Amino acid sequence: GGERFDRGEHKAAREDFEAALDYPTNLRIGKPAQTEDARPRWCAGLACEALGEVAAARAHWEAAAAEHYHRHTHTGAVDLHIYRAFSLAKLGRAQEANELLAAELKAAQQRVESAPNDAVAHLALGLALKAAGKREEADAALRKSLELNPWQPRAKRLLERETIL
């Protein structure tokens, strides 16, 4: 989806992002009650927005904004909250979004302090800093993530592109 979005293939990107919302039937236990779909919903919303489908974009962002997670219970929790905050901002709920982003930035900084050699921690910090508009600091954190683990496609994309997917 990200590659298609970057090439301007927004319809195909939307299809990819929405496909990420489908729960694999081969797992046979059903979709969890507490989903972690904020990122694909954010991305699908951006693709819909690029296609001029405002109502569909808003529906994706409302679904992302409605998700709630336990605070930092696993590796992905930081970015889930960030994509939720982006969606809140798109819905005009700026104060809520800013508070959530500030909390996530603080959590990402603490995570790097406690695990300075963790590439994923630096990736999360880079994402949080970029979300906060701190581009130079974000780039430094993302470069550190790549230094620790050269195979970090998200870190590479965040360094190369303005749009956060």
Side-chain angles (χ1 to χ4, degrees):
E3 290 175 13
R4 288 178 169 179
F5 187 91
D6 292 342
R7 290 191 305 259
E9 300 170 13
H10 298 118
K11 185 177 185 299
R14 176 188 180 178
E15 291 169 1
D16 288 345
F17 295 135
E18 289 177 344
L21 299 169
D22 292 336
Y23 194 77
T25 56
N26 66 321
L27 295 182
R28 298 183 187 183
I29 58 171
K31 191 170 188 168
Q34 186 174 8
T35 61
E36 296 181 351
D37 294 336
R39 182 177 179 210
R41 288 209 174 274
W42 162 255
C43 295
L46 287 180
C48 290
E49 182 181 53
L51 292 167
E53 299 176 13
V54 178
R58 186 172 180 82
H60 279 297
W61 295 327
E62 286 173 351
E67 290 191 10
H68 293 281
Y69 318 103
H70 296 290
R71 310 274 311 149
H72 314 293
T73 56
H74 59 81
T75 304
V78 171
D79 73 357
L80 293 171
H81 290 292
I82 288 173
Y83 290 103
R84 182 172 171 252
F86 286 157
S87 296
L88 288 166
K90 282 286 194 178
L91 296 169
R93 295 162 61 183
Q95 182 177 345
E96 230 178 314
N98 290 338
E99 290 171 3
L100 187 54
L101 280 175
E104 296 316 307
L105 179 54
K106 182 178 179 182
Q109 289 167 328
Q110 290 172 343
R111 185 169 170 202
V112 166
E113 288 170 10
S114 67
N117 293 319
D118 181 350
V120 176
H122 286 278
L123 171 62
L125 178 59
L127 174 63
L129 288 164
K130 187 167 181 173
K134 299 179 178 188
R135 183 59 193 240
E136 287 182 28
E137 293 174 65
D139 287 355
L142 294 167
R143 283 192 296 275
K144 180 66 176 177
S145 176
L146 289 169
E147 177 186 314
L148 293 167
N149 180 358
W151 196 89
Q152 286 278 358
R154 286 186 71 199
K156 289 176 187 175
R157 189 191 186 287
L158 287 166
L159 279 167
E160 296 170 355
R161 305 274 192 257
E162 286 302 312
T163 303
I164 298 174
L165 296 178

